[in-house]
Structures are given as structure tokens and as C-alpha cells.
Amino acid sequence: MSHSIVDLRSDTVSQPTDKMRARMASAVVGDDVYSEDPTVNELEARTAAIFGKEAGLFVPSGTMGNLLAIMVHCHRRGAEALVGDLSHIFLYEQGGASHLAGVQLATLKNEQDGTFSLQELRRRIRHEDCHEPITSLVVVENTHNICGGKVVPLAFLDELVALVRQPGVGTGSARIALHMDGARVFNAAAALGVGVERICRDFDSVSICFSKSLSAPVGSVLVGSKAFISEAHRLRKALGGGMRQVGVLAAAGLVALDEVVPLLPKDHEHTKKIAQAIFDLNSPNITVNLETVQSNILLVEITQPKLLASELADRLGIVESGEVAAGVTGKNGAGIVVKACARDWAFARLVLYHQVDDELVELAIRKLKYVIGQYDLRWPRE
């Protein structure tokens, strides 16, 4: 008898929908390197329009989208980009800005809400001293992954723009560019109740991932001005991102915009439901901060120093004999496996997506309650 599996490691494990598969199978294609794939062109144009930008570029991954943005904005030798110290670009993209683009990344301390100090940013901007690199780009991640899916406040974005656009900030007539790593920016829009165009209004470029919470199998779209995208298109070829009849992949992105984006608020509701269930246990060992649950990412905090997040993840991934007898099962009477993400963090990460339906959410809660209860018996409140 198969166990019921609830995979919450990441929204990257989401599956293409039936409509996506059908659209992919019937996609009209051409050679995208020559900009002759009509399905890709449609996805690029639609995405750019939704974000209020002039043009878009379909790329294999968000990592490539971010790297291209850095390469275009930091084209001058000796350029520097300022990013958060917990940003995906800094932590999880292999330092590509340095060893592929020749751009130095300098970090700003991320606050718990995904922002960083604008006063510190102002002090870190460099362009006048010939001994120093030239600050050419500032990057914001929204929503912020490692900060727990935090939605960066609009007020912060507006203040950041005002600071960077101040006269005298930048090198001569070359202003500092702003890029948004918007892998999950549609989640930010759903949480704020505003359009993505408003969130990204003053940013020069945005990278949007279609293979996370939007459920497409592959791809991101980079948007910006026509001149920016023209240069990014050229550099994409150098990075090995020039794809040919790739409309079969872009087709899924078109369906995502119509079918999956409207479902994101439900993912957020599911995330909050699991968070509330954990919080209500009042465990001395494992908890969540309800006030910080804003989108589809939930950080499960490990407050017991003798317990590692990786150990919690491992335990959630197995079924012990006592669980079935205790009724921790699915409809088929088999055990429940919950897959969680944990590294050397003080938390385990759970990520929701639209294919985790009401039933799977209830199964996840059932398993979490049982496992946390075990730990509470082992380490009771003093």
C-alpha cells in the first residue's frame, strides 16, 4: 500500500496542468534565436505588458535571468552590484556574477522582512574614488525566499527608488539601475492585492519565474526596456540560453498567466492554515511566527537546541509503525510522508502550490501534529 505523499520541499516540484500539457502539444513554434517562435513572442509580449515594460526575453531559468540583468546593467569593467546577504543571487547562484560576468557582488544585511537598510545602502554606493569599484546596480528579491516568503513593502520600494534616483547618486550621467529578482513576484502581488506593474513600476528590469508557484515545467521571462532586452538577447546566446523551437515550453507560461496566477491566494490560505495548526500546538520545541506568514512559504522554527531542522525533515519523511495505529493515515489507510526542505538552517521550510489541495493540506497537518507531539513528549515544557 502506497503512502500518501505531500511534497512541500518547494513550489518547483509543481506539475504542469492538463491545460498546459495540451497547449504545449499543440504549440506553434519557430526558431526563437531568430525571434521567430510565435508562442515565445506571445509570452514575452504578454509578460512585458503585464509588468508595464517594453519587452521581454524567455530564458531557461531564473538564475540566467538574474545573471543577464547583472551583465547588462553592469557592463563596465570594475562594476559592482549591491544585493541582500540572504538573497538568492548571493547564496544560490554559484557566484555567477563574479566568475561569469566579472561583476563584484557586495552585500547589504537583509532584515527579517526582506528589506535592507537604506541608510547603509547610501553609505555603500561607490563611484567617486578611483580605488573603488563602481556601484552600478541594486537588486531586490520579492518575495524573499530565505526570509520566509516575505513581501517587500511598497513603501520600502518607493523609498529605495527615491534614494537611487537622487541627483548626484551614481557615476556622472549613468544612474544606478534597479533589478528585481521577482521569481515569486506574482505571490507578492496576490498578498498585497495590487498588480505586479505597481510593484515593479520603477525597476529597470524584473526576472519572473514560471516554474515555481506558476507550475510551468521550465522557464523565466526577463522584462525591461527594448534596449535592455536587445542586449540581454545577445548575451543569452553567449550563456548557452539560445533555444530553438522552444514554444513548446513557452506555451505553458501562457496558460500559467490565465489559469494559475488567479489561484495563488488559495496557496497563501493553505500556508496560513498549516501555520495556525502548528502554532496552536503551543509546542516548546517547534513553532511558527504567524505574523510573518505572508505568501506561500512557511518557516517552521526549531526552538529546541537538541533538534536540527534536517532531523525534523527526515522524520517527516518516514512512516513509523505506530503512526498507522494512531490513525495518522490517508484515505487508503497508509501512512503519510511530508517532504520538507532543510539545510543548516534554524528552521524547516514548507512551500505550498496549487496542486497541494485541501485534502493534502489536512494530511500535512495530521503528520506535523503527530511528529511535533513526539518531540514534545521527548522534550516537555519545563
Side-chain angles (χ1 to χ4, degrees), residues 101-273:
V103 176
Q104 174 170 295
L105 293 180
T107 60
L108 300 162
K109 182 182 183 301
N110 274 123
E111 304 297 338
Q112 292 184 353
D113 64 354
T115 66
F116 42 74
S117 167
L118 294 180
Q119 292 75 21
E120 177 67 12
L121 168 64
R122 184 64 186 89
R123 289 193 295 269
R124 297 287 296 281
I125 292 175
R126 305 190 282 184
H127 60 83
E128 296 178 349
D129 193 325
C130 66
H131 299 88
E132 298 177 341
I134 300 167
T135 303
S136 303
L137 175 66
V138 177
V139 181
V140 173
E141 183 177 328
N142 193 17
T143 63
H144 200 290
N145 176 22
I146 291 299
C147 289
K150 297 299 189 304
V151 179
V152 178
L154 291 176
F156 171 83
L157 298 178
D158 292 343
E159 291 174 17
L160 169 63
V161 172
L163 169 61
V164 172
R165 301 289 187 256
Q166 281 181 359
V169 176
T171 307
S173 60
R175 65 186 180 89
I176 296 172
L178 290 170
H179 173 67
M180 181 174 290
D181 177 0
R184 296 182 177 91
V185 70
F186 278 106
N187 290 94
L192 291 173
V194 301
V196 289
E197 180 180 3
R198 168 62 184 94
I199 295 173
C200 307
R201 181 184 62 194
D202 300 306
F203 280 70
D204 299 285
S205 58
V206 187
S207 178
I208 309 102
C209 185
F210 281 80
S211 62
K212 289 186 171 68
S213 57
L214 299 192
S215 201
V218 178
S220 291
V221 173
L222 180 66
V223 296
S225 68
K226 290 181 179 178
F228 169 85
I229 292 299
S230 176
E231 184 62 19
H233 181 274
R234 177 180 177 81
L235 292 170
R236 183 185 68 175
K237 195 73 171 70
L239 294 180
M243 301 173 285
R244 301 297 178 174
Q245 288 72 31
V246 74
V248 293
L249 298 179
L254 289 169
V255 176
L257 293 175
D258 296 325
E259 180 187 19
V260 183
V261 169
L263 301 177
L264 295 179
K266 184 67 173 180
D267 299 340
H268 297 185
E269 291 176 14
H270 283 157
T271 308
K272 292 176 181 178
K273 184 173 184 178

